[in-house]
Amino acid sequence: MKKISILMFACLALVCFNACVEDDEPTFMVQENEATAPTIVTANSTVMLNKDAEDNQALTVVWNDAQYNFQTPVTYNIMVAAAGTDFEDEINAASTVERSYTWTVKDLNNLAIKAGLEIDKEGALEIRVISSLGSNGGVSMDSNILAITLTPYSTELPKLWLPGDYAQDSGYGANWNPADPLTPTLTAENFTSSKFEGYVYFANDNSNFKITPTNVNFDGNYGDVDDSGTSGTLFQDNASKNIVVPVAGYYRINVDTEALTYSLTKTDWAVTGSSTPLGFAPPEAGPNQDHDLTYDQDTKVWSITLDLTSGEIKFRANDSWSFNYGNDDDGDGSLNEGGSNIAVETGGTYVIILDLSNPRAYTYSLTPVTN
């Protein structure tokens, strides 16, 4: 009889063990009248967002622990939404087992933009904390709501727009229309710099353009101070003259809105390097010492199909090293002016693309040609 009892106990234990293994999550029996939701104790406030201090702490949300009727780990999900939306499109901003969470200026600014708040316009976020048991959100309870007022700043560098009579023929949409999304732009060095840069293609000789500080209209536009349109000196007024590009081509454009100067440098791009059939072009090499790329105004990129060996390449303009781009060493295909050589690990036939269409965010790609 004793042996039978032992066997029955073993079978019962095995059944219980299998039941536990098969369940993804344990079932918690919580008496609602014995459970207390988390309570945010941080006061409603206005948070100042300063893009010059992006790594500083901006906001810490603190709450009292949720109380369940037995001891078990509790997970807290911090939910954020634009004020007045009743959390309809809420964002799960963070998950933690602690009872506080801190955002930096940068992270809170990005969260506000993601939630739909307008740049440079005061708005409000609502924050709530949802407690739960287990990893599947079991027995969830909502906290009270914290309201935060803030003004998000732009995460994009300042821009200038270049509307002109060249746009349609050059693949940039409508002529003289800064609001056209294809209108070329220049981008500043940083958030406070007056120095702007970009590359623009002009299909025709004697193309005309102006420079506008917004893509809305021509208010505050920059033009040439001289009737020739080629002086290199800017004048900011509706009576300014058009800037003229006498010879068609692909130009690097530099503008300084503080010094009121501009420059147009015609560029033709090529690839060189130890991986190419011609090898690295010497410092003062002339024509035919590198491999010319071809510009396509529809795709707005330079390209060539070329047989490469293992080694390195770089891009340079005008058969010279005055303008050259190399790797920025981040491994993401982005380029730095004067950057390091770009490694070619394996020999073969490649489509090489140089993309200078996004100001100060220049990229390249090497795509093997497969038969």
Side-chain angles (χ1 to χ4, degrees):
M1 184 69 178
K2 184 176 182 180
K3 290 183 179 180
I4 294 174
S5 297
I6 293 173
L7 287 173
M8 290 179 65
F9 177 80
C11 291
L12 179 60
L14 181 61
V15 169
C16 292
F17 175 78
N18 287 336
C20 290
V21 170
E22 289 174 3
D23 286 343
D24 290 334
E25 291 289 339
T27 300
F28 298 102
M29 300 300 294
V30 178
Q31 299 295 325
E32 291 186 7
N33 60 354
E34 297 181 11
T36 304
T39 303
I40 297 176
V41 296
T42 302
N44 295 342
S45 64
T46 296
V47 178
M48 302 303 296
L49 298 179
N50 182 355
K51 64 186 174 187
D52 293 327
E54 287 192 325
D55 295 329
N56 291 357
Q57 292 185 2
L59 173 68
T60 297
V61 178
V62 181
W63 56 90
N64 292 329
D65 282 332
Q67 299 297 322
Y68 292 88
N69 61 350
F70 54 87
Q71 294 296 318
T72 184
V74 179
T75 298
Y76 297 100
N77 288 300
I78 305 168
M79 313 306 292
V80 179
T85 63
D86 198 28
F87 290 88
E88 183 176 351
D89 297 313
E90 65 183 1
I91 301 166
N92 190 339
S95 181
T96 180
V97 295
E98 306 297 331
R99 63 179 190 90
S100 67
Y101 189 82
T102 299
W103 284 283
T104 64
V105 171
K106 180 180 180 180
D107 290 340
L108 188 59
N109 185 72
N110 290 341
L111 186 60
I113 294 172
K114 185 176 180 180
L117 271 62
E118 293 185 43
I119 299 295
D120 296 329
K121 183 176 180 180
E122 185 177 88
L125 293 177
E126 291 182 335
I127 301 171
R128 65 179 177 181
V129 176
I130 301 177
S131 65
S132 62
L133 301 178
S135 60
N136 287 337
V139 196
S140 63
M141 296 189 294
D142 294 1
S143 74
N144 56 317
I145 295 173
L146 169 67
I148 298 296
T149 301
L150 69 176
T151 302
Y153 58 82
S154 176
T155 57
E156 293 186 2
L157 290 170
K159 292 182 179 181
L160 297 172
W161 283 258
L162 277 64
D165 64 5
Y166 68 93
Q168 184 171 342
D169 288 348
S170 304
Y172 295 118
N175 288 344
W176 295 112
N177 184 5
D180 192 303
L182 295 179
T183 297
T185 59
L186 310 180
T187 298
E189 277 184 322
N190 53 55
F191 287 107
T192 59
S193 177
S194 64
K195 296 180 179 180
F196 294 75
E197 175 190 295
Y199 287 88
V200 181
Y201 174 66
F202 298 92
N204 305 315
D205 293 346
N206 297 313
S207 294
N208 291 257
F209 71 93
K210 283 195 173 182
I211 302 168
T212 61
T214 73
N215 62 345
V216 177
N217 51 43
F218 284 84
D219 290 351
N221 73 83
Y222 297 87
D224 201 287
V225 72
D226 189 79
D227 286 332
S228 69
T230 59
S231 72
T233 301
L234 291 174
F235 184 65
Q236 188 179 19
D237 189 278
N238 288 337
S240 63
K241 312 299 181 182
N242 291 341
I243 299 172
V244 179
V245 183
V247 179
Y250 192 82
Y251 284 80
R252 172 167 162 164
I253 301 178
N254 291 90
V255 168
D256 190 328
T257 55
E258 184 175 328
L260 292 177
T261 59
Y262 72 90
S263 64
L264 309 176
T265 305
K266 188 174 182 296
T267 62
D268 290 287
W269 288 88
V271 62
T272 185
S274 61
S275 288
T276 69
L278 293 174
F280 259 119
E284 301 302 325
N288 304 318
Q289 295 298 304
D290 46 25
H291 301 271
D292 293 339
L293 305 177
T294 301
Y295 180 72
D296 186 322
Q297 75 173 51
D298 293 327
T299 60
K300 299 176 178 57
V301 300
W302 294 83
S303 67
I304 188 175
T305 301
L306 194 64
D307 292 332
L308 301 177
T309 59
S310 60
E312 298 172 326
I313 63 169
K314 285 192 86 171
F315 299 98
R316 69 178 198 149
N318 303 341
D319 301 311
S320 166
W321 288 100
S322 297
F323 289 132
N324 74 86
Y325 288 103
N327 211 333
D328 72 350
D329 299 325
D330 287 342
D332 60 356
S334 54
L335 294 167
N336 278 349
E337 186 167 357
S340 60
N341 296 341
I342 299 165
V344 179
E345 301 293 343
T346 306
T349 302
Y350 287 83
V351 176
I352 304 172
I353 290 178
L354 171 66
D355 188 348
L356 304 176
S357 64
N358 298 308
R360 299 191 187 276
Y362 310 129
T363 61
Y364 75 93
S365 64
L366 302 175
T367 304
V369 176
T370 56
N371 296 326

